[in-house]
Amino acid sequence: MLPTVAIVGRPNVGKSTLFNRLAGERRAITEATSGVTRDRHYTKAEWSGYEYNLIDTGGVVSGSHDIFERAIKEQAEIAIDEADVILFVADVASGLHPLDSEVAQMLRKSGKPVFLLANKADNEKREPLAASEFYPLGLGEPIPISAINGRGVADFLDELLKKFPPKEEKGDEPEPLKLAIVGKPNVGKSSYLNALLGQDRAIVTPIAGTTRDTLHSDYSYYGQKITLIDTAGLRRKKYISDSIELYSTIRTMKAIEECDVALVMLDATQGMENQDAKIVNEVVDARKGAVIVVNKWDAVEKDTMTSVNFEKQLRETFRTLDYIPIVFISALTHLRHTKPIEIALKVNADRKKRITTNELNGVLLEEISKTPPPGVRGHDLRINYITQVNTEPPVFAFFSNFPEEIPSAYKRFLERALRNHFGFEGVTVSFVFRKK
């Protein structure tokens, strides 16, 4: 198991900037605004060939009655409990703050190894301030660094590695399924994540937009390793009110690009809306696997036909996306809450599936002979040969005498025939037409 390192401190001392530098990319949102980071934010980081888990946390505020600030403190406490080593970030530029002393007291109680990082020591003049300001915290010698320009970070990381156990040799383990949970704000994405993990991994409030960053969590389903990616809600562009929400939207789109399969979550009490359809189309355009998850099913008055009628409405909305499976759940009551995982695993297997050329031609050429392509501009269109040229996502090549003239309606017929015989539920397939 990889060692875990947590970054903690009061608000706006540069924790997320340090997280991004150690991660090697801009994974956490950074703004000159207190409270931007709310949830624990995980990634894998590496230094000198040694991998470790890295956790960013929100700024700790003591004695606050604000719902977010209290939840942020709880999340930081959980991260401290999970960590093997803690990075306590203080701010040389603003000096010692009463909150620094409170955080230090919390860390001393944890009994975990702590590195006291005096951040924003951007030049030599600020370095002496680190010892004079923060040594009284009783957490050892302060280490001056600059997360923004990297000053002192490499030397600190060399010392960090000394706290880790000897490196284990890696086995040839398969990559975990990357599963993104996407949807509009406040449809229950974070509640669903917490239901799966059996703990409050993400902050949940009735306020839309609580989740801003994407969150990566390890999960196991009957031995199958899965990386769950919780995301910020995707709003319509005209409702994106500040740069933080814009960054959240960008990260959600990046999560879609990163994942293998997306669980597109809808709110059963609101039904299908245009923004839901746009999110589904974003997943399809990215050529990812998709499962539509209708959450809050416990809050809907039902009879024997409710789910049938609801699904019929969705299918009418997504006429060309009838291959996407639909499942009804409740994150609150845990009703069928693992069913989307079961379906997503099957969808992912189909994304990797390869059909032999003999199978494709034996089945699809017979369908084509029964329903040949229509003539176009006097041309007798023929499809002579089919082969699969790629997986993840699947791509099929059709060889024809006039490939550019195959009508769109006939391409849809070919896709239906392919799915009828070979499945690919929830999988976006691509066709290319080439000259024979």
Side-chain angles (χ1 to χ4, degrees):
M1 183 179 294
L2 296 179
T4 298
V5 177
I7 303 174
V8 299
R10 64 180 176 86
N12 214 30
V13 294
K15 297 183 299 299
S16 293
T17 303
L18 178 63
F19 178 87
N20 290 336
R21 177 163 291 281
L22 299 185
E25 59 178 320
R26 200 169 181 217
R27 294 293 298 269
I29 298 170
T30 57
E31 281 274 323
T33 305
S34 171
V36 172
T37 301
R38 291 172 174 171
D39 299 297
R40 284 168 288 156
H41 190 74
Y42 288 67
T43 192
K44 281 187 173 62
E46 181 268 337
W47 182 252
S48 296
Y50 203 124
E51 281 193 332
Y52 58 96
N53 294 314
L54 185 64
I55 312 175
D56 187 21
T57 64
V60 176
V61 175
S62 178
S64 174
H65 297 291
D66 179 85
I67 185 172
F68 287 125
E69 290 179 345
R70 282 190 285 111
I72 286 168
K73 184 179 180 183
E74 290 172 5
Q75 292 289 311
E77 289 170 345
I78 293 170
I80 291 167
D81 187 56
E82 292 178 354
D84 299 300
V85 183
I86 298 163
L87 310 183
F88 176 25
V89 182
D91 183 349
V92 168
S94 61
L96 185 64
H97 189 282
L99 277 174
D100 293 324
S101 299
E102 293 188 30
V103 176
Q105 184 178 3
M106 184 168 62
L107 296 182
R108 283 194 297 269
K109 288 180 180 178
S110 75
K112 303 289 181 70
V114 177
F115 283 85
L116 174 53
L117 303 180
N119 190 32
K120 305 184 185 179
D122 302 337
N123 52 58
E124 291 181 0
K125 292 180 180 179
R126 286 186 174 181
E127 285 190 7
L129 297 174
S132 60
E133 287 279 346
F134 302 113
Y135 194 81
L137 291 174
L139 291 171
E141 189 74 30
I143 302 173
I145 68 163
S146 172
I148 194 70
N149 65 30
R151 184 182 178 85
V153 172
D155 292 338
F156 144 67
L157 284 172
D158 289 338
E159 293 301 312
L160 176 65
L161 293 191
K162 295 177 183 178
K163 297 292 185 181
F164 293 167
K167 187 165 65 171
E168 297 178 2
E169 291 299 321
K170 277 186 166 183
D172 294 329
E173 293 187 10
E175 284 291 313
L177 165 67
K178 293 185 177 67
L179 189 60
I181 306 169
V182 300
K184 295 182 305 186
N186 214 28
V187 295
K189 300 182 296 298
S190 295
S191 295
Y192 181 58
L193 175 72
N194 290 341
L196 289 173
L197 297 177
Q199 61 171 309
D200 290 341
R201 169 67 177 87
I203 297 171
V204 178
T205 75
I207 302 169
T210 300
T211 300
R212 282 175 166 171
D213 280 325
T214 54
L215 303 173
H216 293 63
S217 302
D218 292 331
Y219 177 69
S220 179
Y221 182 77
Y222 291 99
Q224 170 70 52
K225 291 184 178 180
I226 298 171
T227 299
L228 298 171
I229 309 172
D230 184 26
T231 64
L234 279 175
R235 300 173 184 266
R236 294 171 63 185
K237 287 183 180 178
K238 69 178 182 179
Y239 295 133
I240 297 175
S241 58
D242 58 32
S243 63
I244 297 172
E245 286 197 6
L246 176 61
Y247 295 153
S248 297
T249 300
I250 292 170
R251 276 161 177 69
T252 298
M253 300 309 300
K254 186 176 178 181
I256 292 173
E257 290 293 336
E258 177 187 353
C259 77
D260 303 304
V261 180
L263 303 181
V264 183
M265 187 163 286
L266 315 182
D267 184 336
T269 64
Q270 297 178 5
M272 170 60 62
E273 297 182 343
N274 288 338
Q275 183 64 1
D276 297 309
K278 288 179 180 178
I279 293 169
V280 174
N281 284 324
E282 293 284 0
V283 174
V284 171
D285 289 346
R287 323 310 286 173
K288 304 298 181 177
V291 181
I292 294 175
V293 181
V294 183
N295 189 29
K296 306 185 185 180
W297 196 240
D298 59 301
V300 174
E301 292 187 14
K302 294 177 280 292
D303 57 32
T304 55
M305 295 297 291
T306 305
S307 62
V308 173
N309 291 335
F310 199 106
E311 182 167 345
K312 182 180 178 182
Q313 176 193 348
L314 292 182
R315 297 297 183 200
E316 288 175 354
T317 303
F318 299 111
R319 290 185 182 276
T320 60
L321 304 176
D322 56 357
Y323 61 89
I324 299 179
I326 299 171
V327 59
F328 299 86
I329 72 158
S330 168
L332 180 65
T333 67
H334 292 199
L335 172 70
R336 290 190 293 272
H337 75 293
T338 61
K339 190 66 176 178
I341 305 297
E342 178 186 327
I343 296 172
L345 287 169
K346 184 180 182 304
V347 169
N348 190 52
D350 276 6
R351 288 187 83 236
K352 299 177 179 180
K353 183 164 61 178
R354 184 175 289 277
I355 312 299
T356 68
T357 300
N358 283 342
E359 284 182 284
L360 280 172
N361 286 275
V363 170
L364 293 186
L365 289 182
E366 183 177 347
E367 293 283 354
I368 291 168
S369 68
K370 293 177 183 176
T371 309
V376 177
R377 290 195 288 273
H379 293 149
D380 179 21
L381 301 183
R382 293 188 303 276
I383 294 174
N384 308 103
Y385 181 74
I386 309 144
T387 188
Q388 185 173 354
V389 296
N390 204 3
T391 62
E392 297 184 83
V395 180
F396 299 88
F398 291 75
F399 292 85
S400 170
N401 56 341
F402 293 101
E404 70 283 354
E405 295 187 5
I406 304 291
S408 297
Y410 195 76
K411 292 177 182 178
R412 289 193 293 271
F413 161 77
L414 293 173
E415 181 176 344
R416 287 194 299 272
L418 177 77
R419 293 185 185 279
N420 287 340
H421 288 283
F422 300 109
F424 293 107
E425 184 182 38
V427 179
T428 303
V429 298
S430 300
F431 290 173
V432 294
F433 293 84
R434 296 174 178 168
K435 182 76 173 177
K436 173 63 177 176

